[in-house]
Amino acid sequence: MSLMGTREIMEIIPHRQPFLLIDTIEELEPGKRAVGKKCVTYNEPFFAGHFPGEPVMPGVLIVEALAQTGAVAILSQPDFKGKTAYFGAINNARFKQKVVPGDVLTLELEIVKQKGPVGMGSAKAMVDGKVAVTAELTFAVN
């Protein structure tokens, strides 16, 4: 059972379809960490062109899904209600395996440092317990 579904997620972050890239939040510690899920289906609009005959979820969208999960964690703090979290930096992104239709992405982001509205998170996306993507994400809340 999920902690939050799409409607609750959209109450925290401003993303909407087709760019909302998380389906549920499974775990949440406001200001500390969040774990989300994304069920990757053949119906995703990006699969029409990435790549015909061999659909692969673009790595940048996996990083975006991780960022959205982190945004839920940071924006769940009462001081940031109604704000938006923006990318400040993406560092050390590593893509270790393809993500394809039928995969369920587990998206984890732990906020490792925060000073005022700027923070850094350690992010990991997994499929079936295997790491697909890791990255360090810096954000600014405005």
Side-chain angles (χ1 to χ4, degrees):
M1 184 168 151
S2 66
L3 183 64
M4 285 184 203
T6 303
R7 185 155 79 223
E8 295 88 0
I9 293 167
M10 290 190 311
E11 290 174 7
I12 298 171
I13 63 175
H15 303 78
R16 299 294 181 263
Q17 296 297 341
F19 208 69
L20 180 62
L21 297 173
I22 48 179
D23 297 326
T24 62
I25 294 294
E26 306 292 319
E27 299 175 34
L28 176 64
E29 294 178 59
K32 296 184 188 217
R33 71 184 288 271
V35 177
K37 295 266 185 183
K38 167 67 176 163
C39 296
V40 181
T41 71
Y42 279 102
N43 297 327
E44 309 289 347
F46 48 80
F47 284 138
H50 198 270
F51 300 101
E54 186 188 353
V56 176
M57 185 171 183
V60 295
L61 294 182
I62 299 169
V63 172
E64 174 65 26
L66 286 164
Q68 290 179 18
T69 302
V72 170
I74 197 70
L75 297 175
S76 293
Q77 297 175 94
D79 291 350
F80 294 142
K81 184 177 172 95
K83 305 263 184 182
T84 301
Y86 297 96
F87 267 130
I90 302 168
N91 292 307
N92 300 316
R94 300 286 181 259
F95 303 92
K96 300 176 182 279
Q97 76 174 45
K98 293 189 290 187
V99 175
V100 298
D103 285 346
V104 176
L105 269 176
T106 299
L107 306 154
E108 298 181 9
L109 188 125
E110 180 178 353
I111 298 166
V112 295
K113 184 178 179 182
Q114 183 180 348
K115 186 169 183 175
V118 178
M120 187 174 84
S122 176
K124 176 171 53 173
M126 295 175 294
V127 176
D128 293 328
K130 294 180 182 175
V131 175
V133 176
T134 60
E136 296 167 0
L137 307 178
T138 302
F139 56 85
V141 175
N142 190 0

